[in-house]
Amino acid sequence: MLIDNWGREITYLRISVTDRCNFRCVYCMPPEGLVWQPHDAIMRYEEIEQVARAAAEQGVRQIRLTGGEPLVRADLPILIRMLADIPGIEDVSLTTNAMLLEKQAEKLAQAGLKRVNVSLDTLNTEKFARITRGGSLVRVLRGIAAAENAGLLPIKINVVAMRGVNDDEFMDLARLTLEHPWHVRFIELMPIGNQQPWGPDFPSPQDAFIPIQEIVEQLKPLGLVSENDAVGYGPAIEYRIPGGIGKLGFISPLSEHQFCQRCNRLRLTADGYLRPCLMSAVEIPILSALRAGQPALPVIKQAVAAKPEGHKLATQAAPDGRRMIQIGG
Ligand code: SAM
Ligand code: SF4
């Protein structure tokens, strides 16, 4: 088993398969994009599998693929099959902007993908194009429908909460759960590499943060009923609207102090670093070790041992260095 210095068991590996993306979301990337890693600096599928297999032998059960946009990487179903076939791996899921999901959903499901999380911050077509700088809401909604048809369930919808951007839509986004069996999850905006102005139509990034408690308050008129029984739940605090068929989740990496206590994950970046914590700059190189013929496990153990107790983002700025898209959100 992989147990860190604070007694947390590591059972979840979040793998970024690319640092590239077909969107340029204002809170994630500058409009001109970033300097992408050269092709041979990116982990090959066999290398990712090697890390996942070593992690699974030590008790990792869940894998989530992310990026960048994972669906821009060629032949993703091949990787999914490789990962789903690893003994001990019970769940392979994907976080995507869903722009390319309509065509790929069926193949992904056939390869062994269990579920998808789709990022969707607004239901307004024009605003969607502005936030994502080029995304199409219609295509994303078609992607979600295709994922439902392919059985990639439950569909989780990730909404990054931003004051002056989408806070007028929280009620409408929450009400999606009345008619759809989706889990709509509101996520606090994290100050990771996105503190430069987003453009003339947007508030200052420093003003855009909304604490999750404020969103819960705003949605209380919907009659929210708590879904969390006791301790032991994941990073989302969950509610249901009476009569609704979906769920609401609230994820507060910044303002909820228990968030880190429940952390069970390691992250693998597309260019081959294990990142013990999203919000600490520590990274342990694993791709260079693999390419030097060394085994993955000692590096995994080193990364687990380097997991900090928690982050200090509520009182301190994010560490310099990589953006969310380069780490794998
Ligand atoms: N491209 C995929 C997508 O957008 O779903 C996967 C990668 S993206 C980095 C993963 C998640 O991180 C998305 O749900 C996105 O909204 C979220 N995200 C990106 N930057 C963020 C930030 N600064 N604060 C909070 N969430 C962020
Ligand atoms: Fe791309 Fe996802 Fe970042 Fe948006 S949040 S730019 S879709 S990686």
Side-chain angles (χ1 to χ4, degrees):
M1 286 207 303
L2 298 169
I3 311 252
D4 75 4
N5 292 335
W6 318 97
R8 296 171 298 199
E9 189 183 344
I10 308 307
T11 56
Y12 180 117
L13 181 62
R14 201 164 170 117
I15 301 174
S16 171
V17 297
T18 178
D19 62 344
R20 297 173 194 223
C21 188
N22 47 354
F23 285 6
R24 299 280 180 272
C25 299
V26 289
Y27 49 77
C28 185
M29 267 215 263
E32 66 281 8
L34 296 162
V35 180
W36 313 124
Q37 294 285 349
H39 191 69
D40 61 1
I42 297 294
M43 290 192 79
R44 294 191 285 266
Y45 286 170
E46 294 71 23
E47 292 164 336
I48 293 176
E49 185 203 18
Q50 200 180 336
V51 176
R53 197 172 279 278
E57 280 167 10
Q58 299 295 315
V60 165
R61 299 279 162 263
Q62 259 188 302
I63 291 179
R64 173 168 295 278
L65 301 181
T66 181
E69 173 47 42
L71 297 185
V72 303
R73 179 134 182 199
D75 300 323
L76 194 68
I78 293 178
L79 176 65
I80 289 172
R81 172 50 61 209
M82 289 161 85
L83 297 175
D85 283 348
I86 295 175
I89 295 299
E90 294 162 3
D91 183 72
V92 181
S93 60
L94 176 78
T95 299
T96 174
N97 62 32
M99 187 76 169
L100 302 173
L101 190 55
E102 186 181 15
K103 275 207 180 126
Q104 298 193 35
E106 192 58 52
K107 276 191 204 137
L108 294 166
Q110 282 168 5
L113 188 73
K114 287 258 172 72
R115 348 177 244 119
V116 288
N117 286 12
V118 175
S119 305
L120 178 62
D121 302 324
T122 172
L123 299 171
N124 175 307
T125 307
E126 178 273 329
K127 199 194 285 182
F128 187 86
R130 270 196 296 126
I131 293 176
T132 59
R133 300 193 184 106
S136 154
L137 178 62
V138 176
R139 280 184 65 176
V140 167
L141 294 175
R142 279 203 234 121
I144 295 173
E148 283 191 303
N149 288 336
L152 295 170
L153 306 173
I155 305 274
K156 295 189 183 173
I157 306 286
N158 288 350
V159 180
V160 176
M162 292 169 279
R163 196 182 304 284
V165 179
N166 61 356
D167 51 344
D168 55 336
E169 292 189 68
F170 293 164
M171 279 280 189
D172 292 340
L173 287 158
R175 281 199 198 98
L176 288 172
T177 64
L178 288 171
E179 287 172 16
H180 301 275
W182 302 343
H183 296 191
V184 173
R185 294 135 36 102
F186 294 91
I187 302 174
E188 280 177 348
L189 174 69
M190 289 180 261
I192 299 185
N194 56 10
Q195 297 296 290
Q196 300 303 316
W198 297 347
D201 301 329
F202 290 96
S204 128
Q206 290 74 26
D207 295 338
F209 175 78
I210 310 182
I212 219 76
Q213 292 79 358
E214 191 179 320
I215 307 172
V216 177
E217 278 305 312
Q218 193 183 328
L219 298 181
K220 274 202 174 146
L222 294 171
L224 305 186
V225 180
S226 174
E227 281 275 302
N228 296 114
D229 29 21
V231 282
Y233 45 85
I237 307 216
E238 295 184 330
Y239 292 87
R240 194 180 280 280
I241 304 177
I245 53 175
K247 281 191 208 176
L248 294 176
F250 297 91
I251 304 183
S252 47
L254 260 65
S255 59
E256 206 246 311
H257 63 279
Q258 279 185 18
F259 187 84
C260 297
Q261 284 173 26
R262 296 193 297 264
C263 183
N264 61 351
R265 63 187 58 182
L266 272 189
R267 291 167 188 271
L268 178 61
T269 67
D271 57 349
Y273 290 81
L274 282 173
R275 181 135 178 153
C277 170
L278 172 65
M279 295 184 247
S280 135
V282 174
E283 291 185 342
I284 321 277
I286 190 161
L287 180 57
S288 52
L290 298 182
R291 289 190 181 167
Q294 292 159 16
L297 186 57
V299 190
I300 294 174
K301 287 192 167 159
Q302 200 186 335
V304 170
K307 269 183 83 65
E309 184 177 16
H311 65 74
K312 307 222 166 28
L313 274 193
T315 50
Q316 251 171 249
D320 283 355
R322 307 231 255 180
R323 285 172 171 259
M324 193 84 139
I325 186 164
Q326 293 162 320
I327 303 163

